[in-house]
Amino acid sequence: MSLMLRKSGTSRFPYRFMEASLFVLLFSLVLASVGYAQDLTPRQGEAVTPLPDLLKEAEQNNPQIRAARQGWEAARQVPSQVSTLPDPQFSVQQVSVGSPRPFAGYTNSDFAYFGLGVSQDFPYPGKLRLKGEMAKRDADVAQQHYESVRLSVLAGVKAAYFQLAYLSKTLGILESDGELLQQVEKAADARYRSGMGNQHDLLQAQVERTKLLREITMHHLEVARLEAQIKQLLSRVQFSPDIEPSELPETPLPYTFEELLSAAKAQNPEISAAEKMVKRQKVQVELAHKDFYPDFNVQYMWQRTDPTQFRAYYMLTFGVRVPIYRGRKQRPELAQAEAELSRSHSESEVQSQRVAFELRSEYETAEKTAELLKIYREGLLPQTRAGFQAGIAAYQSNRQDFPALLTSFLDVLHLDEEYWRSIAERETALAQLEQLTGLSLRGEGAKR
């Protein structure tokens, strides 16, 4: 009997040892995974790249911004060209009499002469002014296009940067938890080999660790894609050093929706471009009306024959270009201009409605996500952590099985990821609000 008791006590020693080891490992695991309020320090040796530096670099180097700016600068050179009189035309004439030889008959015929002339076209008064005004409106539209491209590129940099910061944050958590899950798997394996556990617990631990490895790999893949995207927006070579983002901020939103909408109506470049296009088309209609009136031409010619025998000739010519084909040219031109004006009004309304819709959508995203973050901080995360700690105590006293404990841990891990994802989504929504309104919510240079 005593021998049997000794054997029985010896057989329970590995079980209690494995229970204690598993408890310690799981407790370490939850402490590492529930640090949702703690900042993840950057990896040593990698300097953090502040977002304002990237925005400044994008403004200077991005080829889309540069091309749009050059297009605007080119458009600014047009108004003076189209509002200036056409170049005058100078002419030289020589008429021979009696022979094709130059100056034949010059001394014995008053029909042979050498002449100099100049002619100048004069459009109907007001046409050149309207053409110059149209060109100015086109330059204004080009300026708003440049501003739209600039804000769009900056918003793209911000969105990619915030997503990269989120992935860097969660990647550190996942990698550290992967190592601990591997130890948990070994502990479950040891418990199974000792006969105190079952194969299902071991297989479940292995599956969860494999899932975590898959998620880590997908994170690395997404990080590589975002690094390439940011380098493309910054016009960097793809083999340049990677970008290490700073910690995810939680930027406050100090504006109401009405204030943001008012700012968008006043500063959104696409709305401004549509409004300036309406003004441009109004000038086009005025010019189409002017085309019903004639243009003019003035010519002056001096003719010289033999000065010893004949006097010089002076000839002034006044010409009029009359628009006699109005039904086939001017009237269709006017109808086209009026149709283009109506279309520009409709497009302006479309842009206003689109911006208002996007503004409302991003505003609601920012506001509701802020409420969601409060729920995470004050409710879900503390509750799941407390539930996991209670599960550890229950598992230690054999009142809870391993799958339930593992589920509690995964809840903590997934909610931690969702918390940081929500912060990234809110910051991205704020970046879109900056693009739509032209306001700067962070003071990073997005202000117009």
Side-chain angles (χ1 to χ4, degrees):
M1 176 65 71
S2 61
L3 180 61
M4 291 178 62
L5 288 174
R6 285 196 299 270
K7 288 183 178 180
S8 175
T10 304
S11 65
R12 291 187 57 83
F13 175 74
Y15 168 73
R16 294 187 178 276
F17 177 76
M18 294 302 172
E19 290 281 353
S21 300
L22 188 58
F23 169 74
V24 171
L25 288 171
L26 285 175
F27 188 72
S28 302
L29 180 60
V30 71
L31 290 179
S33 63
V34 298
Y36 62 90
Q38 301 175 355
D39 293 328
L40 182 66
T41 56
R43 292 183 293 271
Q44 294 185 0
E46 296 185 6
V48 171
T49 305
L51 179 58
D53 293 350
L54 296 182
L55 297 179
K56 183 177 180 181
E57 183 178 351
E59 285 202 66
Q60 294 176 347
N61 300 335
N62 183 269
Q64 288 179 276
I65 296 179
R66 188 165 57 247
R69 182 170 57 246
Q70 292 167 347
W72 171 36
E73 293 174 353
R76 293 171 57 190
Q77 310 305 317
V78 177
S80 63
Q81 302 177 47
V82 298
S83 61
T84 304
L85 285 172
D87 293 331
Q89 180 179 351
F90 294 90
S91 59
V92 177
Q93 289 185 344
Q94 192 276 314
V95 178
S96 300
V97 176
S99 173
R101 290 181 297 104
F103 296 99
Y106 184 74
T107 57
N108 54 21
S109 173
D110 57 353
F111 289 102
Y113 66 88
F114 172 79
L116 298 175
V118 61
S119 65
Q120 176 68 60
D121 292 328
F122 292 93
Y124 191 85
K127 286 186 177 181
L128 293 179
R129 176 184 60 82
L130 292 174
K131 289 182 178 180
E133 190 172 346
M134 280 182 56
K136 289 180 181 178
R137 301 298 182 189
D138 288 336
D140 291 340
V141 172
Q143 179 184 8
Q144 297 305 316
H145 173 68
Y146 156 68
E147 192 66 24
S148 177
V149 170
R150 186 182 74 87
L151 291 177
S152 177
V153 170
L154 295 185
V157 172
K158 293 175 186 177
Y161 187 87
F162 294 139
Q163 186 68 14
L164 185 62
Y166 154 71
L167 291 174
S168 297
K169 184 76 176 181
T170 57
L171 192 57
I173 297 174
L174 291 174
E175 289 176 346
S176 61
D177 289 349
E179 297 175 359
L180 293 175
L181 272 177
Q182 186 176 8
Q183 298 178 32
V184 171
E185 179 191 345
K186 291 180 179 179
D189 180 64
R191 182 179 176 184
Y192 169 71
R193 293 179 184 277
S194 68
M196 295 296 115
N198 57 66
Q199 188 178 18
H200 180 267
D201 291 350
L202 175 60
L203 293 177
Q204 187 175 8
Q206 292 175 343
V207 167
E208 293 301 331
R209 187 171 71 88
T210 305
K211 288 181 180 180
L212 195 61
L213 292 175
R214 180 194 62 184
E215 192 169 353
I216 291 174
T217 303
M218 296 301 296
H219 270 58
H220 280 292
L221 177 61
E222 186 65 13
V223 165
R225 187 189 68 81
L226 290 170
E227 291 279 0
Q229 179 183 353
I230 294 178
K231 290 176 183 179
Q232 182 262 330
L233 292 172
L234 301 179
S235 193
R236 291 185 183 180
V237 293
Q238 288 298 328
F239 53 81
S240 60
D242 286 342
I243 296 165
E244 180 66 27
S246 59
E247 299 170 1
L248 271 173
E250 192 171 342
T251 306
L253 180 58
Y255 299 102
T256 63
F257 175 74
E258 289 73 17
E259 292 172 334
L260 293 173
L261 184 60
S262 177
K265 290 179 178 179
Q267 299 185 146
N268 183 270
E270 295 184 0
I271 292 179
S272 298
E275 292 174 348
K276 292 181 183 302
M277 183 58 70
V278 170
K279 296 179 181 179
R280 191 260 187 201
Q281 294 306 131
K282 289 181 179 179
V283 177
Q284 178 70 56
V285 171
E286 292 184 49
L287 183 59
H289 281 289
K290 287 288 185 182
D291 284 341
F292 281 87
Y293 296 95
D295 297 327
F296 309 103
N297 176 269
V298 176
Q299 299 181 10
Y300 183 80
M301 176 70 69
W302 171 79
Q303 297 175 350
R304 180 79 259 184
T305 59
D306 186 358
T308 60
Q309 302 184 46
F310 308 104
R311 291 178 295 180
Y313 294 91
Y314 304 90
M315 181 170 57
L316 177 65
T317 304
F318 180 77
V320 179
R321 183 179 293 108
V322 181
I324 62 175
Y325 302 108
R326 296 185 175 186
R328 297 178 60 85
K329 294 180 64 177
Q330 281 74 28
R331 288 194 181 94
E333 177 188 358
L334 178 59
Q336 177 188 358
E338 291 174 342
E340 292 288 346
L341 177 60
S342 299
R343 182 176 66 88
S344 65
H345 277 294
S346 299
E347 290 182 347
S348 178
E349 183 178 355
V350 168
Q351 289 293 345
S352 298
Q353 293 293 337
R354 183 189 64 80
V355 169
F357 159 72
E358 293 182 359
L359 191 68
R360 185 72 186 189
S361 177
E362 300 299 340
Y363 178 80
E364 291 297 332
T365 299
E367 287 293 297
K368 299 306 179 184
T369 307
E371 298 176 8
L372 186 61
L373 291 174
K374 184 177 180 181
I375 294 174
Y376 276 116
R377 285 192 299 265
E378 300 178 2
L380 286 174
L381 289 172
Q383 291 167 1
T384 53
R385 179 169 55 179
F388 180 77
Q389 291 173 342
I392 291 178
Y395 184 80
Q396 186 180 17
S397 59
N398 290 328
R399 289 184 290 107
Q400 180 170 296
D401 57 5
F402 180 76
L405 181 62
L406 187 59
T407 300
S408 297
F409 162 71
L410 293 176
D411 287 340
V412 174
L413 177 62
H414 293 158
L415 286 175
D416 197 27
E417 290 185 62
E418 291 174 8
Y419 173 77
W420 292 108
R421 184 187 302 114
S422 297
I423 293 181
E425 289 175 354
R426 185 174 189 274
E427 293 303 314
T428 301
L430 294 180
Q432 293 298 320
L433 290 178
E434 289 177 321
Q435 178 186 0
L436 292 169
T437 62
L439 298 174
S440 177
L441 303 178
R442 302 177 180 84
E444 297 155 336
K447 188 174 181 180
R448 295 181 60 191

